[in-house]
């Protein structure tokens, strides 16, 4: 079993809809949680960074972390065709002094005009 | 802020040659840099972790003599693929972090070995 599980999709939504993405994990030591967006043939771009549990909002993006359920989510409001990309969740634990990340498989999102 | 660059963005080389890829943190000092490899439609695979001035730590299954990593300063790390072969063709991505904060990724280097 992988430490981080993420549905690879593809997830297709119409423009303007809310995109809902999530990851589950098994390692209770994870404390830092991130969402990255990766366009084809590009490096990942950091979208959201959360420490421990709670919600964080930044523009159209909302990240949620539920450590009791080992479940994290990313919501994208008012989705645009430019949001079409692969979204990767990533997390790390305090046990790792260098902050190595464990990634999900990535979810491919397609926003149709 | 938190910009990481990679050079070159793509490279084509003949089998048996060596290729060097540079990774630079442009607006912060990176205490740690990471090198990843990514195959099409797959997630990132960590190859090695490097701290400035010390030897890199390689992940299991990654040949340290084939993938030479140098982290000479707080803003520069290099990955050299030695005696490259077609199976080394891939997308190589570096990332940089400061004081174990989150990682910021470079744009990636596409390597094609003929």
């Amino acid at each position: 079993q992988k430490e981080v599980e993420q549905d690879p999709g593809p997830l297709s939504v119409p423009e303007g809809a809310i995109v809902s993405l999530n990851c589950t994990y098994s390692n209770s030591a994870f404390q830092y949680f991130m969402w990255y967006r990766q366009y084809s043939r590009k490096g990942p771009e950091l979208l959201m960074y959360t420490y421990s549990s709670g919600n964080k909002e930044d523009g159209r993006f909302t990240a949620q972390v539920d450590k009791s359920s080992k479940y994290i989510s990313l919501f994208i409001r008012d989705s645009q065709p430019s949001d079409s990309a692969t979204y990767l969740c990533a997390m790390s634990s305090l046990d790792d002094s260098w902050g190595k990340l464990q990634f999900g498989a990535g979810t491919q999102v397609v926003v149709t005009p | 802020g938190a910009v990481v660059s990679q050079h070159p963005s793509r490279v084509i080389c003949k089998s048996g040659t060596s290729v060097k890829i540079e990774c630079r943190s442009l607006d912060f000092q990176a205490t740690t840099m990471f090198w990843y490899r990514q195959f099409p439609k797959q997630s990132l695979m960590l190859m090695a972790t490097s701290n400035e001035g010390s030897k890199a730590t390689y992940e299991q299954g990654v040949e340290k003599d084939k993938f030479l990593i140098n982290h000479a300063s707080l803003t520069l790390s290099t990955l050299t693929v030695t005696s490259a072969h077609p199976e080394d063709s891939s997308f190589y991505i570096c990332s940089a972090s400061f004081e174990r904060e989150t990682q910021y990724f470079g744009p990636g280097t596409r390597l094609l070995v003929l």
Side-chain angles (χ1 to χ4, degrees):
Chain A
Q1 184 185 5
K2 294 180 182 177
E3 276 195 294
V4 182
E5 298 280 356
Q6 183 178 9
D7 187 334
L11 176 64
S12 183
V13 300
E15 183 176 355
I18 296 175
V19 176
S20 175
L21 303 166
N22 59 76
C23 291
T24 59
Y25 62 93
S26 57
N27 188 348
S28 58
F30 287 143
Q31 293 277 0
Y32 301 91
F33 304 92
M34 286 133 274
W35 286 95
Y36 289 89
R37 176 175 63 193
Q38 186 176 24
Y39 291 110
S40 180
R41 299 173 180 263
K42 301 289 185 184
E45 171 193 3
L46 179 66
L47 289 177
M48 301 291 279
Y49 171 49
T50 310
Y51 171 70
S52 196
S53 284
N55 295 354
K56 187 173 184 179
E57 190 172 319
D58 184 2
R60 297 186 296 115
F61 300 94
T62 300
Q64 294 182 347
V65 175
D66 182 348
K67 291 191 67 183
S68 62
S69 301
K70 298 190 180 69
Y71 185 92
I72 68 171
S73 302
L74 177 71
F75 301 97
I76 308 173
R77 291 182 297 279
D78 188 24
S79 59
Q80 306 294 312
S82 58
D83 293 325
S84 298
T86 296
Y87 291 80
L88 297 154
C89 65
M91 44 199 82
S92 66
S93 73
L94 286 170
D95 297 339
D96 190 299
S97 57
W98 290 342
K100 280 166 53 175
L101 296 177
Q102 299 297 325
F103 285 92
T107 300
Q108 183 185 0
V109 172
V110 179
V111 180
T112 56
Chain B
V3 179
V4 177
S5 70
Q6 264 182 261
H7 178 79
S9 58
R10 64 176 67 182
V11 57
I12 301 173
C13 68
K14 293 182 179 179
S15 184
T17 60
S18 295
V19 175
K20 180 185 283 188
I21 302 170
E22 288 189 351
C23 176
R24 294 181 184 272
S25 56
L26 298 183
D27 52 0
F28 68 103
Q29 293 188 322
T31 50
T32 306
M33 285 186 167
F34 304 83
W35 286 95
Y36 294 84
R37 187 171 178 177
Q38 187 175 36
F39 291 104
K41 298 191 183 302
Q42 293 189 23
S43 192
L44 292 86
M45 182 187 77
L46 180 65
M47 298 174 66
T49 302
S50 73
N51 292 288
E52 183 261 341
S54 60
K55 288 184 179 180
T57 300
Y58 291 80
E59 295 298 300
Q60 192 173 8
V62 178
E63 301 174 57
K64 63 176 70 175
D65 293 331
K66 176 146 190 79
F67 299 99
L68 300 178
I69 291 171
N70 183 275
H71 193 159
S73 74
L74 285 172
T75 59
L76 174 63
S77 176
T78 59
L79 167 67
T80 301
V81 183
T82 62
S83 187
H85 291 284
E87 58 265 30
D88 298 323
S89 299
S90 190
F91 191 48
Y92 293 87
I93 312 174
C94 72
S95 71
S97 69
F98 173 74
E99 298 292 324
R100 90 163 318 285
E101 287 185 6
T102 191
Q103 295 177 29
Y104 298 92
F105 287 83
T109 297
R110 192 161 301 278
L111 171 63
L112 176 61
V113 184
L114 302 176

